[in-house]
Amino acid sequence: SVCALVVVRCHSNMSEIDQIDEGFYSRQLYVLGHEAMRRMARADVLIAGMRGLGVEIAKNVILSGVKSVTVQDEGQVVWTDLSSQFFLKESHLGQNRATCSLQQLSALNPGVRVSASTEPLDEELLLQFQVVVLTGSSLSDQKCFNEFCHLNGIKFIVADTKGLCGQLFCDFGKEFEVLDQDGEKPATVINITLFQANPGVVLFTDDRQSTFSDGSKVSFSEVRGMTELNSIDPVDIKDCGKYSFSIGDTSAFSQYERGGVVTEVKQPCVLTFKTLNEALLDHTLLKMNDYGKIHRHRTLHLAFQALHGFVEKEQRLPGPRSQVGEDADALLAIVGKLNTVTQLEQLDEAAVRTFSYTARGDLAPINAFIGGLAAQEVIKACSRKYTPLNQWLYFDALECLPEEEDELTEATLSKGTRYDGQIAVFGPAFQEKLERQKYFLVGAGAIGCELFKNFALMGLGAGEEGRITVTDMDFIERSNLNRQFLFRSQDIGKPKSEVAARAVREMNPQMNITAHQDRLDPGSEGVYDYDFFMGLDGVAAALDNMEARVYLDGRCVQHQKALLEGGTSGLQGHTLVVVPNLTKSYGRDTSSSNEGIPLCTLKNFPHRIEHTLQWARDQFEGLFKQTPANVNLDKGFVERTLGLGDAEALEVLGGLWSSLEDMEAGGQRPRSWEDCVSWARCQWETLYNNDIRQLLHCFPPKAVTAAGLSFWTGSKICPHPLTFDPYNTTHMEYVVAAANLYGQIFGISGTRDRASVKETLERVHVPYFTPKSSVKIHLTDKEMEEEKQEDRDDKARLEELRRKLASPSLKSSFMQMKPTDFEKDDDSNFHMDYIVAASNLRAENYDIPAADRHKSKGIAGSIIPAIATTTAAVAGLMCLELYKLVQGHQKISSYRTAYMYLPVTHIVFAQPTQAKTFEVSNSSLHPHIFSYNRFKKDIQSKMFAAPLQARLLPSEYLPFGGNQILELPSASFSL
């Protein structure tokens, strides 16, 4: 076979690194960080071998943002390539794989230079690179190139797939420094108290337990008094408890006053790797992810070596069981000979035979999974972030084959179709069944694109009777392009589902696809109704929120349809398959609903940057969205609001009237840009000076509680007011952003010209403020709720507001406003400008360390970190479960739930949870175990006349009581 390599070269010239395109790499930056991305941006990549596994690695590496990629392959396109190489077409048959793939690969990432080479590889070429990844290569080439790379400090990776099995090997040299082993955020504690002693003691004063451990290193900042700690090198910590630890001698330091932030300082580690020749004999280096397959994967370690020997002798891969049945015997004999040295106690001979029968297979899901893992190892090698694989990983999905021996359909050699690589494993009858499938794909984002690609390569729904229906309500944004690889820059603004469908038809013109732009929720049940679901063979979920997952799961349970589900967060991923009457469904949302930040914390006592960012988001929503939306509501809004309670109604209607009444008449409605600047400046004064002064008037810095303890202690940080300075960057950023946003909701154009804004500020009158003793500040949310009880003053002010809002002058259409929906990814719209400035100013009030724009955007925008490698791997595993569903596997042991944590290449496979059974009874029925057949019989004979469209099920049939709507065809039921 043609040797396939992925090669990465790094440059030391820092000046060659361009500024990171944060718009394009937005979600990946939250996985890797800026420094790791800069190291990757110095990497040149050579990928040799453009079969399915090679192109999968190439796709992921290009999207990750290396400097350049050269694809190399001396071979020509054959039919089996089309089973997993998504950038090759039938028109490319007989042409060079690398050159045929070049155009599509080049379009993936405009920041990466991509070129093609058809020349053979040699050692002189390899010396120019940092990382070498071989795919589909001979064992002799692997050993030869590895020895060379190991001696020359070149990181080396082997990736290979054969049928339903995969192999991965890493050798990163004699000494490889990992700068960050797991990528987790350094532990940070903001609320601390320091004690001068030998050793010094650090006490956590909030309710968060320590995540530090003995031997960790920490740094200090923002310490008032004992300032020596702010400038010393990271210190070792000892005697870690839940809420404290000790450090070195602090007895000679300055007197401690207050405050301080302690942050973990991650330490690099150096790893040592063996050469491939040495590692072949070391079974302790086998990474075990599926502990039920330990003996199988140890056997596969020998089987892959044996396969290389077979190919070297026969110059071909083993054939199917009926045509070349003796091939499996020959392969097993080689494995046995190898085991005389290795001496495994138990050989999985059945696995070796199956490996032989399926070795000619080239499957898209297997390549997607192994390709995702291999590309992540390349990223680790380039970035030195995350722990590399040490050193072997084997994977198999042999449970995808028919469950019973007599159900095995004979695979055949090449028939000259695009599915030959798949037919070599499953046979032609199964291929025809795949093509007849009718599937519903919900979501065309990152996982959706990868699933769609796999569907096209597999031929799912590609027959005359088959169809894929896809729905996604979203439109393509620039931040999508880094991982949703079916989209290009010219697609920005277009519907995801339509563009994805078009791209997939380019891969496989036989695909039958219907693209919708509907949100899947109760509002779309007129489209996705009983008839729609009953016409499906299954559903694949590629969703990004829990609410939609739970709703779709409920619809699948209701209509007895299988569900494939997967999700990612950075380098973590999971997959789940729900099989009717066999496995547990996704179920209700069990995530905690009590994790919100208390309102009193947001309003008066923040102590983390997350608090100030949420406060800034609340300010944005209230000022620029909710109030304008209230203005645009019908006249009945006032009466409805009065029914909410006096305190809440007073706040809402007060904001409503202010937005309708001109500033000259005491309201807040601007007539000009100058009015907007004036409003923003006064808003600044209110939020960052007046409100803080009022808080300190109620609770002075030296205030004590009724118990005589200091009020400002623990998580209560004593704030200080800010004084506006037009030469302070953050102060001006707030005014410019707030003024522009305020102008936008009233249809007034603004400017970014700070000089002009400063000139306007000189004419702004800021009202004088005096704190009031009558103001009550709530210490808890409970107090806040109790304060909302009615009082006479509120009644009088509400009546006055009702009278003012009834004025005919406030009802004209020109009073309509333009509510603003928060959009984090548009850097020109002032949204993140406002959030960052508003949050950091409040953080300054409370001595909380500020957050940069990137961190603020991630927190305030609730951004889920994402990277192409994890997405590809998850989609690959989902499609392996699809093979089982289409065949109709009925043994729960055949299915797999997967959890992956790629920072340390840790993947866990488990059997899905068995569906529960319940004992139910009815006055006319004997108690029995809740099962499909018995329940269907009871439904048809004793309760209803089938067919039915929708009925209520009596509570005695439900394990948890109550009624539930059922949709019942004549021959089945769904709950």
Side-chain angles (χ1 to χ4, degrees), residues 403 579-582 884-885 887-895 914:
E403 292 178 317
V579 187
N581 306 304
L582 183 65
K884 305 168 189 177
L885 290 174
Q887 291 179 84
H889 283 14
Q890 288 301 308
K891 296 178 181 178
I892 196 168
S893 59
S894 297
Y895 293 96
Q914 182 83 40

Side-chain angles (χ1 to χ4, degrees), residues 463-663:
E464 291 184 4
E465 301 175 26
R467 178 160 297 278
I468 303 293
T469 301
V470 59
T471 188
D472 194 310
M473 60 175 289
D474 288 338
F475 294 83
I476 298 167
E477 301 174 355
R478 190 161 183 269
S479 63
N480 301 147
L481 305 183
N482 171 241
R483 64 204 182 280
Q484 300 175 20
F485 85 106
L486 296 181
F487 308 143
R488 304 290 179 262
S489 57
Q490 62 267 27
D491 299 322
I492 293 174
K494 298 176 182 177
K496 286 186 177 181
S497 59
E498 290 185 1
V499 175
R502 184 178 69 241
V504 165
R505 291 191 194 99
E506 284 290 315
M507 292 181 183
N508 184 352
Q510 299 170 7
M511 292 294 288
N512 303 310
I513 304 169
T514 300
H516 295 166
Q517 289 83 52
D518 302 310
R519 180 195 295 272
L520 196 74
D521 61 13
S524 62
E525 289 183 8
V527 178
Y528 308 112
D529 57 8
Y530 169 82
D531 291 333
F532 174 81
F533 271 94
M534 295 312 296
L536 296 174
D537 292 296
V539 178
L543 296 160
D544 61 1
N545 67 88
M546 188 65 68
E547 181 182 3
R549 284 186 170 104
V550 172
Y551 173 78
L552 179 59
D553 174 70
R555 295 288 281 166
C556 289
V557 171
Q558 184 179 5
H559 296 93
Q560 293 286 292
K561 297 301 174 184
L563 173 66
L564 293 164
E565 206 280 326
T568 70
S569 177
L571 292 179
Q572 300 179 64
H574 86 278
T575 65
L576 174 72
V577 58
V578 179
V579 187
N581 306 304
L582 183 65
T583 70
K584 183 180 178 181
S585 71
Y586 197 88
R588 300 182 181 90
D589 181 3
T590 57
S591 61
S592 173
S593 59
N594 299 316
E595 296 181 355
I597 304 169
L599 291 177
C600 63
T601 299
L602 290 177
K603 193 168 185 179
N604 298 309
F605 308 114
H607 52 273
R608 301 204 304 266
I609 196 65
E610 289 85 356
H611 300 160
T612 65
L613 282 164
Q614 184 59 56
W615 175 87
R617 272 298 308 269
D618 292 347
Q619 289 286 318
F620 183 98
E621 295 295 320
L623 293 170
F624 309 124
K625 181 179 180 181
Q626 195 56 57
T627 297
N630 291 343
V631 168
N632 295 346
L633 292 172
D634 59 77
K635 60 183 180 180
F637 171 73
V638 173
E639 298 302 322
R640 293 193 298 272
T641 303
L642 289 170
L644 297 176
D646 290 355
E648 186 174 354
L650 193 62
E651 181 180 353
V652 173
L653 297 182
L656 180 65
W657 176 81
S658 294
S659 297
L660 292 170
E661 193 66 72
D662 288 345
M663 289 182 174

